Amino acid sequence: MPSVSEFLISRLNACGVKHVFGLPGDYILNFYNKLYKSEIELIGTTDEAHAGFAADAYARINGIGCVCVTYNVGALKICNAVAGAYAERSPLIVISGSPGIKERNEDVLLHHMVRCFECQKYIFENITCASVVLDNPDTAGYEIDRALEALAYYKQPIYIELPRDIADKPISYNV
């Protein structure tokens, strides 16, 4: 069985994603490592905001774009690019790492955290046509496909949050 990360990468390939713009950070490092080993080319930028605007421009030219960043400190820097993509109907995939589910259950204040663990998702729900948190490997495949179907239908950004302790868990969905 593939991991949640491997499944997500296979779905990105199937959607035609050839390049992912971004900046690695601690909450997304496992996924970045798998992306690096995949057929998808990583394009590093000097700042998350640059990655967001580059991915949006790429989507407008090529029909689909993807940006990958870390939790809050990275993801919140791409909000302007994502909001612009939403307004202009640009099909942009946002992938953000986040603290693990176990860390969330311990209810401790972690670095990059703003108010609560769900705040980042709440923000992106207002500037994307679908927002999912892959917090359960048993439902992650359904959530990934649901978000990607919304991207294809609405031609607007989607948000996929990947908790770092879920990224390497085996997925049980292979449709």
Side-chain angles (χ1 to χ4, degrees):
M1 272 191 285
S3 69
V4 173
S5 292
E6 292 164 340
F7 182 86
L8 177 54
I9 291 168
S10 73
R11 287 304 202 249
L12 294 175
N13 271 321
C15 287
V17 173
K18 305 282 186 237
H19 299 88
V20 173
F21 296 84
L23 196 68
D26 56 348
Y27 291 113
I28 196 72
L29 288 177
N30 282 346
F31 183 71
Y32 249 85
N33 187 43
K34 286 188 175 38
L35 263 179
Y36 178 74
K37 294 175 183 176
S38 77
E39 298 172 15
I40 298 172
E41 185 178 346
L42 280 169
I43 301 177
T45 60
T46 56
D47 182 82
E48 290 88 355
H50 302 154
F53 286 112
D56 175 31
Y58 187 91
R60 292 173 193 228
I61 294 168
N62 295 291
I64 192 166
C66 186
V67 61
C68 185
V69 293
T70 196
Y71 182 67
N72 276 337
V73 70
L76 296 179
K77 289 180 85 173
I78 66 170
C79 285
N80 282 338
V82 176
Y86 183 83
E88 299 298 327
R89 301 184 69 83
S90 178
L92 176 63
I93 300 167
V94 175
I95 301 170
S96 174
S98 66
I101 300 306
K102 184 177 179 189
E103 294 167 302
R104 295 171 194 225
N105 292 336
E106 293 169 357
D107 199 29
V108 296
L109 184 64
L110 296 173
H111 65 291
H112 304 327
M113 191 173 156
V114 177
R115 190 177 232 162
C116 67
F117 290 111
E118 296 80 21
C119 283
Q120 180 173 293
K121 182 176 184 280
Y122 295 153
I123 291 166
F124 279 92
E125 284 176 344
N126 292 289
I127 55 175
T128 61
C129 66
S131 299
V132 299
V133 177
L134 306 179
D135 56 1
N136 181 341
D138 293 331
T139 60
Y142 298 103
E143 293 297 317
I144 291 166
D145 284 347
R146 181 175 67 82
L148 291 171
E149 286 174 12
L151 174 90
Y153 183 79
Y154 293 106
K155 305 292 187 222
Q156 289 178 310
I158 61 169
Y159 170 79
I160 299 173
E161 185 174 311
L162 180 59
R164 66 177 165 185
D165 63 351
I166 299 294
D168 290 329
K169 299 270 187 196
I171 198 166
S172 58
Y173 170 82
N174 285 314
V175 173

